[in-house]
Amino acid sequence: MLTREELDAAKSRAAVVLAETGIVLTSAEIDAIEVADFGLSRLDEIGLEIVVYVNTERVCAKELVLFPRQTCPEHRHPPFASSPGKEETFRCRRGVVYLYTEGEPAMNPACRPPEPDGDAFTVWHEIELRPGEQHTVPPNTLHWFQAGEEGAIVSEFSTTSTDELDVFTDSRIGRTTVVRDA
Amino acid sequence: MLTREELDAAKSRAAVVLAETGIVLTSAEIDAIEVADFGLSRLDEIGLEIVVYVNTERVCAKELVLFPRQTCPEHRHPPFASSPGKEETFRCRRGVVYLYTEGEPAMNPACRPPEPDGDAFTVWHEIELRPGEQHTVPPNTLHWFQAGEEGAIVSEFSTTSTDELDVFTDSRIGRTTVVRDA
């Protein structure tokens, strides 16, 4: 849950970072910036600010803004209907983002999971992405990511986004942000 | 057909415009910038400079660089196999781009087709895109576009790109750029 003030502050902060990076949005897009706290009410640690450019029945493109050390929690995009699940390419535009997926775990990972949620972060194959670098996560593959000390902007190119189907490792997580009016 | 010098000059010019716009590429991506002259050997008038970020069996993302008044000639993306054809969203990042598709023709279009190829431009529904503005072209729909006087950068979010299947109105067009050494 977020208060209206927290929501508006996060939207403004994301809009400023995007503008500083030279990414131009319409005012309707700025108004529509999605602030996801994943139902945990700890936005600074676990959260994501999202601009959805397009999401058709076939293709989706977004910008993701991560504040310093902000974490998108571990999840996967399972198969549904005739789809094998969502395929995502993450391309770093600003800052550094550490992407963790299934595979050989990093010996000394650059990130720690937000306390006290260590059990909800189970994959530790580390991919460090700096501006111009990208990685494609196949469908139905566990992944999570965290920005470095200066935050990050990440472009996401994917198949259709169906957030409500995402499966999070932390069963307390709800994908819909609830806003409490003071 | 392009000479090696024309190809290299266009790549460098595109790389500079992208860098000026704050779009960071790896050196491998800069090396791989595609310069398309559509087989017409008039790159300044009819051509496109392309960075392919990703092109999987499901999703494609590119940056398109258009030099001042450079035109991408009229074409459509027909159905193939089990696909209805490529769906494309064009998002302007810099400059102005005039996108023409099927629909009500513009009374006073902002662009003229490159001479003497007027017959190869048959759709005149005009969509003007400035930074932050975008439009989605459905599959199998005729479209062409031209940059304004200052050129343009356009992000393309689409289904899989299969250039060899594109159908151009101008039957002389070949999608593969032939480079002539010296």
Side-chain angles (χ1 to χ4, degrees):
Chain A
M1 190 183 293
L2 293 177
T3 66
R4 177 68 53 187
E5 289 69 27
E6 288 171 322
L7 175 74
D8 288 344
K11 280 172 65 165
S12 299
R13 191 173 168 192
V16 168
V17 177
L18 287 159
E20 285 176 354
T21 311
I23 295 173
V24 181
L25 304 180
T26 63
S27 40
E29 287 172 330
I30 292 172
D31 286 345
I33 291 175
E34 181 191 356
V35 178
D37 79 339
F38 300 97
L40 299 177
S41 305
R42 293 151 60 206
L43 182 68
D44 284 348
E45 290 175 278
I46 301 180
L48 200 56
E49 292 68 42
I50 305 164
V51 178
V52 180
Y53 287 143
V54 61
N55 188 23
T56 73
E57 287 180 17
R58 301 173 73 191
V59 172
C60 180
K62 302 178 179 178
E63 301 290 356
L64 310 177
V65 179
L66 291 146
F67 300 142
R69 288 291 169 192
Q70 202 179 27
T71 299
C72 175
E74 184 176 292
H75 64 286
R76 61 186 170 83
H77 306 286
F80 64 98
S82 63
S83 168
K86 186 186 181 203
E87 172 197 293
E88 295 175 332
T89 296
F90 296 109
R91 181 177 178 88
C92 183
R93 301 292 192 170
R94 175 190 177 127
V96 186
V97 66
Y98 300 94
L99 173 63
Y100 295 90
T101 68
E102 299 176 18
E104 187 68 29
M107 294 281 281
N108 295 298
C111 298
R112 285 183 301 183
E115 291 292 347
D117 304 312
D119 290 354
F121 295 82
T122 68
V123 295
W124 287 95
H125 182 66
E126 182 177 275
I127 298 150
E128 179 181 320
L129 298 176
R130 294 177 178 272
E133 297 176 336
Q134 63 182 41
H135 183 81
T136 300
V137 178
N140 207 25
T141 303
L142 285 170
H143 60 287
W144 62 280
F145 46 95
Q146 186 177 103
E149 298 296 343
E150 299 183 1
I153 294 180
V154 177
S155 298
E156 181 187 312
F157 312 125
S158 75
T159 55
T160 309
S161 186
T162 50
D163 294 336
E164 67 282 8
L165 299 179
D166 296 350
V167 177
F168 286 87
T169 304
D170 184 341
S171 59
R172 298 169 305 164
I173 285 178
R175 184 60 184 76
T176 306
T177 301
V178 177
V179 178
R180 178 166 55 87
D181 274 307
Chain B
M1 190 184 293
L2 293 177
T3 65
R4 176 69 52 187
E5 289 69 26
E6 289 170 322
L7 175 73
D8 289 344
K11 282 172 65 165
S12 299
R13 190 173 169 194
V16 167
V17 177
L18 287 159
E20 283 175 354
T21 311
I23 296 173
V24 181
L25 304 180
T26 64
S27 39
E29 287 171 331
I30 293 172
D31 286 346
I33 291 174
E34 183 191 355
V35 178
D37 79 340
F38 300 96
L40 299 177
S41 306
R42 294 152 58 205
L43 183 68
D44 285 348
E45 289 174 278
I46 302 180
L48 200 56
E49 293 67 43
I50 306 163
V51 178
V52 180
Y53 288 144
V54 60
N55 188 23
T56 73
E57 287 181 18
R58 302 173 73 192
V59 172
C60 181
K62 303 178 180 177
E63 301 290 357
L64 310 178
V65 179
L66 290 147
F67 300 141
R69 288 289 167 193
Q70 201 179 29
T71 299
C72 176
E74 184 176 293
H75 64 287
R76 61 185 170 86
H77 306 286
F80 64 98
S82 62
S83 168
K86 187 186 182 202
E87 171 196 293
E88 296 176 332
T89 296
F90 296 109
R91 182 177 178 88
C92 183
R93 301 291 193 170
R94 175 189 178 128
V96 186
V97 66
Y98 300 94
L99 173 63
Y100 294 89
T101 67
E102 299 175 19
E104 187 68 29
M107 294 281 280
N108 294 299
C111 299
R112 285 183 300 185
E115 291 292 343
D117 303 312
D119 291 352
F121 295 82
T122 68
V123 295
W124 287 95
H125 182 67
E126 181 177 275
I127 299 150
E128 179 180 321
L129 299 176
R130 294 178 178 270
E133 298 176 336
Q134 63 182 41
H135 183 80
T136 300
V137 178
N140 208 25
T141 303
L142 284 169
H143 60 287
W144 61 281
F145 46 95
Q146 184 177 104
E149 299 296 343
E150 299 183 359
I153 295 181
V154 177
S155 298
E156 181 187 310
F157 313 124
S158 75
T159 55
T160 308
S161 185
T162 50
D163 295 335
E164 68 281 8
L165 298 180
D166 296 351
V167 177
F168 287 85
T169 304
D170 184 342
S171 59
R172 296 169 306 162
I173 284 180
R175 184 59 184 79
T176 307
T177 300
V178 177
V179 178
R180 178 166 55 87
D181 276 309

